[in-house]
């Protein structure tokens, strides 16, 4: 059945991807059918989606972060007359069970792009008198929630996606996101924070993309302050995290201000394990594979924080002979680390995921993109064990954005794949200076504009041609 | 560090052929109660190196695990409770993990194993 899916006007390219992931989580294994209502722009909050049952629709909506509501659509139209006609011709047997005298109900009037005064709202509700409501009104806790929603081209440019023509929808609410989660988990009240702690809304979205469910084991190889695992734990997963920075995983800022305390703060089960390990040389025993259900992370890509890996001074000085740690200093020796290029980091991540994820397990991570490049799917890292499921862009500045990449493991980690990864690992090690210079995002993002923009006038012109509105180009 | 983690880790020093299982040097063991989740245990059981787990549990002072185990034992709640305790509730708070081949110690402080290699071990 087709449902009206109304989104919050945020993170536009994450919205359908989230619903699609949740549909799979709740048992829909074919790809979802989507339609746009008449005269709606793809960035409009109003979408139509075909779902197998109301229970599935409710589960998806209630678990989501970006779905304002999924509705059984009783009618839509370009005018109130058209709406009335549509509602009247909607099958009686679909309507009457929700209009009986035993049920309580409420009608909410909402609009996209303009505020409607209280008086107008009341008038609109009264104009629905042609619907034979028999139940009592209950504004606090109704059994049935009806919504009357409209969007229009309100004339003045209001920074929203273009609307060609007025559209009105009337429907019965099936379910919607519980965004009360967000103030509960907001970073500003989190005790232990780092410079790249993941925003709570994004962390929940990542957990949804990764199909996090109770009993699943979720791993974050760049755990930092644990902000991604907190969201996974909220959805019932067992969590595990590693970081190369021992201060993050072991010490935090004191006994009540560390990764553990971030979980305790919300009454969440503590991670199964936290350890200090290097993503470049992971300490997993040979033979161990297919143990994580999902790997979710925000790899260090060198803009706000650069990656580090083992083997500092030796690599930096280009010394070929072995750098040795004197025996008497071994016990308390603090190993130095070397910069970790994004390309190598992502290669290691894909290799780790290919080996350690169960079949069908998901890898969800952020990948940076310079905005001068056109975002195309084939720009994202590929791996023969994985299929790309979704890529959702979040624009961070005029120069770069980050894309949330969702991949699913479809092929097993054979000896051949492992061997190829080993050769690549060696290549990174040998040509390490080249890889560091190649794809140095920091200089592209913070360096003088003309260095990478080429002919400035051209790029300025093309930037102005891009549509700018809230939720997309902020 | 729980024994679940111990069961996954090995010494990855360059040139070490068999870095598993890491020997446990105990300075301090703590027990923390964790919610019993039989599904998680059943999922993880086939991934475990059983002998390494039994030996590790013994080193930590827990001797209730049977020498041999197979998946038919997952039917027994008593077995699952023991597995749960060994895998998730006994923590090595202070101590070290020792590479069986080279004797290199990976310290465990405040329950966090430090698996980072020295420059000459990469």
């Amino acid at each position: 059945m087709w449902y009206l899916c109304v989104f919050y006007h945020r993170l536009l390219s994450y919205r359908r991807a989230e619903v699609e992931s949740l549909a799979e989580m709740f048992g829909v294994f074919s790809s979802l059918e989507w339609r746009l209502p008449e005269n709606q722009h793809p960035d409009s909050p109003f979408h139509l989606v075909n779902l197998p049952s109301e229970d599935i629709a409710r589960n998806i909506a209630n678990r989501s972060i970006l779905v304002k509501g999924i509705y059984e659509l009783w009618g839509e139209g370009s005018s109130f007359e058209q709406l009335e006609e549509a509602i009247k011709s909607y099958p009686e047997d679909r309507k009457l069970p929700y209009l009986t005298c035993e049920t309580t109900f409420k009608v909410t009037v909402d609009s996209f792009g303009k505020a409607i005064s209280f008086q107008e709202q009341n008038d609109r509700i009264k104009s629905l008198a042609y619907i034979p409501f028999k139940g009592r009104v209950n504004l606090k806790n109704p059994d049935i929630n009806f919504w009357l929603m409209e969007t229009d081209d309100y004339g003045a440019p209001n920074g929203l996606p273009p609307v060609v023509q007025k559209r009105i929808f009337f429907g019965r609410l099936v379910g919607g996101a519980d965004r009360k989660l967000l103030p509960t988990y907001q970073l500003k009240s989190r005790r232990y924070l780092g410079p790249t702690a993941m925003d709570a809304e994004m962390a929940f979205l990542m957990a949804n993309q990764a199909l996090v469910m109770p009993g699943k084991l979720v791993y974050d190889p760049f755990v930092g302050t644990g902000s991604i695992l907190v969201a996974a734990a909220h959805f019932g997963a067992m969590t595990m995290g590693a970081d190369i920075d021992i201060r993050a995983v072991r010490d935090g800022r004191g006994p009540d201000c560390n990764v553990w305390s971030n979980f305790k703060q919300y009454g969440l089960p503590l991670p199964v394990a936290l350890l200090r390990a290097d993503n470049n040389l992971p300490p997993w025993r040979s033979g161990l594979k297919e143990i994580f259900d999902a790997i979710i992370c925000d790899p260090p890509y060198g803009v706000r924080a650069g990656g580090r890996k083992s083997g500092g001074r030796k690599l930096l000085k280009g010394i070929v002979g072995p750098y040795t740690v004197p025996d008497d200093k071994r016990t308390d020796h603090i190993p130095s680390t070397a910069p970790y290029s994004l390309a190598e980091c992502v290669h290691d991540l894909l290799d780790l995921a290919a080996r350690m994820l169960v079949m069908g397990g998901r890898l969800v991570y952020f990948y940076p993109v310079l905005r001068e490049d056109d975002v195309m799917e084939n720009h994202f890292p590929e791996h023969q064990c994985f299929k790309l499921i979704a890529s959702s862009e979040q624009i961070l500045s005029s120069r770069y954005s980050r894309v949330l990449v969702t991949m699913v493991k479809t092929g097993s980690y054979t000896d051949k794949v492992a061997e190829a990864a080993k050769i690549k690992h060696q290549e990174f090690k040998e040509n390490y200076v080249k890889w560091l210079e190649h794809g140095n995002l920091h200089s592209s993002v913070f360096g003088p504009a003309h260095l990478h923009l080429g002919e400035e006038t051209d790029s300025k012109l093309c930037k102005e041609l891009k549509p700018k509105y809230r939720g997309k180009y902020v | 560090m729980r024994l679940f983690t111990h069961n996954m880790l090995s010494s990855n020093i360059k040139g070490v052929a068999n870095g598993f299982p890491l020997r446990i040097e105990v300075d301090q063991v703590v027990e923390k109660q964790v919610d019993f989740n039989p599904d998680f245990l059943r999922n993880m059981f086939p991934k475990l190196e059983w002998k390494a787990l039994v030996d590790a549990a013994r080193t930590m002072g827990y001797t209730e695990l049977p020498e041999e185990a197979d998946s038919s034992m997952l039917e027994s709640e008593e077995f699952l409770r023991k597995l749960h305790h060994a895998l998730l509730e006994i923590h090595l708070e202070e101590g070290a993990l020792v590479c069986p081949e080279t004797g290199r110690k990976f310290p465990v402080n405040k329950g966090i194993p430090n698996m980072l290699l020295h420059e000459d071990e990469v």
Side-chain angles (χ1 to χ4, degrees):
Chain A
M1 188 174 140
W2 286 92
Y3 290 86
L4 176 68
C5 180
V6 182
F7 291 110
Y8 287 100
H9 191 61
R10 298 181 52 69
L11 301 165
L12 305 186
S13 74
Y14 291 70
R15 305 182 302 177
R16 283 189 177 187
E18 187 193 27
V19 169
E20 282 163 1
S21 287
L22 295 178
E24 187 176 332
M25 183 186 295
F26 294 112
V28 183
F29 295 108
S30 51
S31 60
L32 289 187
E33 276 181 277
W34 292 91
R35 268 197 295 131
L36 280 171
E38 219 172 291
N39 298 326
Q40 293 298 309
H41 188 274
D43 288 334
S44 144
F46 300 99
H47 295 246
L48 295 162
V49 61
N50 195 358
L51 296 170
S53 77
E54 183 163 325
D55 283 337
I56 289 176
R58 184 178 301 109
N59 287 336
I60 293 173
N62 292 350
R63 167 73 191 254
S64 76
I65 295 298
L66 296 174
V67 174
K68 189 170 181 179
I70 290 185
Y71 305 86
E72 182 195 7
L73 189 59
W74 284 21
E76 59 171 312
S78 297
S79 66
F80 282 95
E81 292 73 37
Q82 268 186 19
L83 180 72
E84 178 171 347
E85 216 172 285
I87 294 175
K88 280 180 174 164
S89 59
Y90 193 65
E92 293 291 319
D93 59 323
R94 295 279 335 151
K95 289 186 289 190
L96 292 179
Y98 304 101
L99 297 170
T100 62
C101 50
E102 295 94 55
T103 57
T104 56
F105 75 98
K106 173 188 179 181
V107 179
T108 309
V109 179
D110 196 16
S111 65
F112 179 68
K114 187 188 159 193
I116 300 181
S117 73
F118 188 64
Q119 184 59 45
E120 276 177 290
Q121 291 185 27
N122 265 337
D123 292 346
R124 277 179 205 187
I125 292 174
K126 279 180 197 144
S127 78
L128 294 172
Y130 54 84
I131 301 174
F133 295 109
K134 297 227 167 53
R136 277 181 307 112
V137 169
N138 180 339
L139 295 183
K140 281 231 171 86
N141 194 16
D143 301 325
I144 314 290
N145 270 294
F146 293 105
W147 282 67
L148 180 65
M149 294 160 279
E150 66 161 69
T151 178
D152 199 350
D153 179 10
Y154 295 104
N158 56 2
L160 293 172
V163 176
V164 183
Q165 211 187 354
K166 189 186 182 97
R167 201 75 194 162
I168 315 161
F169 305 90
F170 181 81
R172 177 178 61 85
L173 181 71
V174 171
D178 174 18
R179 286 182 64 95
K180 283 194 207 78
L181 276 183
L182 303 182
T184 309
Y185 284 94
Q186 64 184 345
L187 288 184
K188 65 179 179 185
S189 49
R190 182 122 0 130
R191 231 167 275 154
Y192 177 44
L193 283 178
T196 57
M198 184 59 62
D199 162 59
E201 182 179 27
M202 196 53 90
F204 284 120
L205 276 173
M206 292 168 94
N208 280 346
Q209 284 304 106
L211 308 183
V212 170
M213 278 186 280
K216 300 257 175 172
L217 185 59
V218 175
Y219 180 59
D220 179 354
F222 312 100
V223 68
T225 58
S227 49
I228 291 174
L229 293 186
V230 162
H234 171 84
F235 290 134
M238 310 283 268
T239 55
M240 194 160 170
D243 205 291
I244 197 169
D245 187 347
I246 196 154
R247 294 166 303 174
V249 280
R250 187 185 65 190
D251 306 328
R253 289 186 221 288
D256 285 315
C257 183
N258 50 40
V259 181
W260 307 113
S261 77
N262 278 350
F263 285 76
K264 285 182 202 145
Q265 184 179 348
Y266 305 111
L268 297 173
L270 299 181
V272 176
L274 289 177
L275 63 149
R276 182 197 204 187
D278 179 0
N279 189 52
N280 188 234
L281 292 163
W284 312 120
R285 69 173 151 87
S286 61
L288 181 69
K289 58 181 191 176
E290 307 205 341
I291 193 160
F292 301 128
D293 295 289
I295 293 177
I296 316 176
C297 61
D298 183 21
Y301 36 74
V303 177
R304 295 187 65 189
R308 309 292 296 178
K309 63 172 183 172
S310 306
R313 271 166 272 179
K314 183 180 163 192
L315 282 172
L316 283 176
K317 287 183 184 158
I319 299 168
V320 183
Y323 171 99
T324 46
V325 180
D327 277 341
D328 55 323
K329 302 221 169 94
R330 228 158 235 289
T331 333
D332 293 321
H333 177 69
I334 298 172
S336 58
T337 53
Y340 193 18
S341 72
L342 176 68
E344 185 174 13
C345 176
V346 170
H347 167 262
D348 291 341
L349 177 64
L350 283 167
D351 183 50
L352 172 92
R355 175 180 161 195
M356 300 293 271
L357 279 179
V358 298
M359 201 58 103
R362 286 193 171 192
L363 168 64
V364 177
Y365 66 101
F366 271 112
Y367 190 73
V369 182
L370 285 177
R371 290 197 44 212
E372 281 68 33
D373 306 345
D374 285 323
V375 180
M376 292 209 303
E377 292 198 355
N378 56 12
H379 278 198
F380 300 124
E382 287 177 0
H383 193 286
Q384 65 184 96
C385 296
F386 284 96
K387 200 177 109 199
L388 182 72
I389 295 212
S391 55
S392 309
E393 187 186 17
Q394 181 187 25
I395 292 166
L396 296 175
S397 79
S398 61
R399 295 268 189 94
Y400 84 113
S401 56
R402 59 179 182 179
V403 175
L404 186 65
V405 178
T406 306
M407 298 172 109
V408 64
K409 181 170 162 184
T410 51
S412 55
Y413 191 69
T414 58
D415 293 346
K416 222 174 116 194
V417 180
E419 196 50 42
K422 224 180 199 169
I423 293 167
K424 190 88 184 155
H425 179 85
Q426 200 54 34
E427 196 215 308
F428 274 117
K429 212 168 160 181
E430 279 157 16
N431 302 305
Y432 132 98
V433 177
K434 184 194 103 189
W435 280 108
L436 268 184
E437 281 160 8
H438 171 89
N440 182 348
L441 210 61
H442 191 274
S443 62
S444 310
V445 172
F446 296 112
H450 62 270
L451 272 181
H452 68 283
L453 285 183
E455 286 172 39
E456 209 173 333
T457 44
D458 272 7
S459 66
K460 213 174 231 173
L461 198 70
C462 105
K463 228 176 256 173
E464 270 157 21
L465 288 176
K466 282 184 189 165
K468 280 187 179 171
Y469 43 78
R470 294 203 302 263
K472 188 152 196 186
Y473 297 101
V474 281
Chain B
M1 184 201 69
R2 294 172 161 110
L3 294 188
F4 176 65
T5 318
H6 171 262
N7 208 269
M8 295 171 73
L9 294 179
S10 78
S11 156
N12 57 345
I13 298 170
K14 190 180 175 186
V16 167
N18 206 351
F20 181 84
L22 294 157
R23 196 160 51 75
I24 301 178
E25 241 179 49
V26 183
D27 285 335
Q28 191 196 348
V29 174
V30 291
E31 291 193 10
K32 293 178 197 165
Q33 220 179 339
V34 176
D35 288 340
F36 180 60
N37 184 342
D39 288 334
F40 176 75
L41 297 172
R42 284 192 200 104
N43 273 341
M44 288 307 147
F45 178 79
K47 319 274 180 196
L48 296 174
E49 279 289 333
W50 188 256
K51 187 170 180 329
L53 177 65
V54 175
D55 291 346
R58 255 191 219 135
T59 318
M60 306 272 276
Y62 183 70
T63 54
E64 303 287 303
L65 288 181
E67 209 64 51
E68 308 272 332
D70 62 74
S71 54
S72 68
M73 295 163 92
L74 295 170
E75 312 281 316
S76 146
E77 159 123 11
E78 195 198 342
F79 173 75
L80 285 176
R81 290 273 173 196
K82 284 177 183 168
L83 176 59
H84 170 75
H85 184 72
L87 214 51
L88 299 173
E89 293 189 321
I90 317 173
H91 293 247
L92 180 66
E93 187 71 8
E94 297 290 333
L97 300 173
V98 186
C99 170
E101 214 171 288
T102 61
R104 145 81 140 109
K105 285 183 187 176
F106 295 94
V108 178
N109 303 119
K110 298 185 197 168
I112 308 289
N114 182 348
M115 301 306 293
L116 200 68
L117 300 177
H118 295 160
E119 293 90 330
D120 54 356
E121 296 167 337
V122 178

